[in-house]
């Protein structure tokens, strides 16, 4: 699903709604992940959002 995203787009998508104080640390954490790991994190985030939407 996210294979067509560039690495920068994947990271930007994961931090888009991030409101924590440690944004820089989160960006560093994500930058150390492989593309496959970023895809997995994005898929987990989409699943979490879907679960939340259907529970309301």
């Amino acid at each position: 699903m996210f294979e067509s995203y560039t690495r920068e787009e994947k990271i930007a998508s994961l931090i888009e709604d991030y409101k924590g104080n440690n944004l820089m640390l989160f960006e560093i954490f994500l930058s150390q992940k492989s593309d496959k790991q970023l895809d997995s994190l994005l898929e987990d985030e989409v699943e979490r959002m879907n679960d939340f939407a259907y529970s309301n």
Side-chain angles (χ1 to χ4, degrees):
M1 177 176 182
F2 300 100
E3 294 83 19
S4 63
Y5 283 35
T6 66
R7 183 169 185 78
E8 292 77 20
E9 289 171 327
K10 291 176 186 180
I11 292 172
S13 293
L14 285 165
I15 64 171
E16 183 175 322
D17 295 322
Y18 189 76
K19 304 284 190 247
N21 293 329
N22 297 319
L23 180 59
M24 185 181 297
L25 291 175
F26 190 48
E27 286 183 78
I28 292 169
F29 165 78
L30 292 174
S31 70
Q32 295 174 348
K33 299 296 178 191
S34 69
D35 285 339
K36 187 171 183 155
Q37 289 171 316
L38 289 174
D39 290 346
S40 178
L41 288 169
L42 284 164
E43 289 170 6
D44 290 347
E45 185 66 15
V46 168
E47 185 177 320
R48 187 183 65 76
M49 289 187 306
N50 284 338
D51 290 346
F52 178 77
Y54 289 122
S55 69
N56 289 331

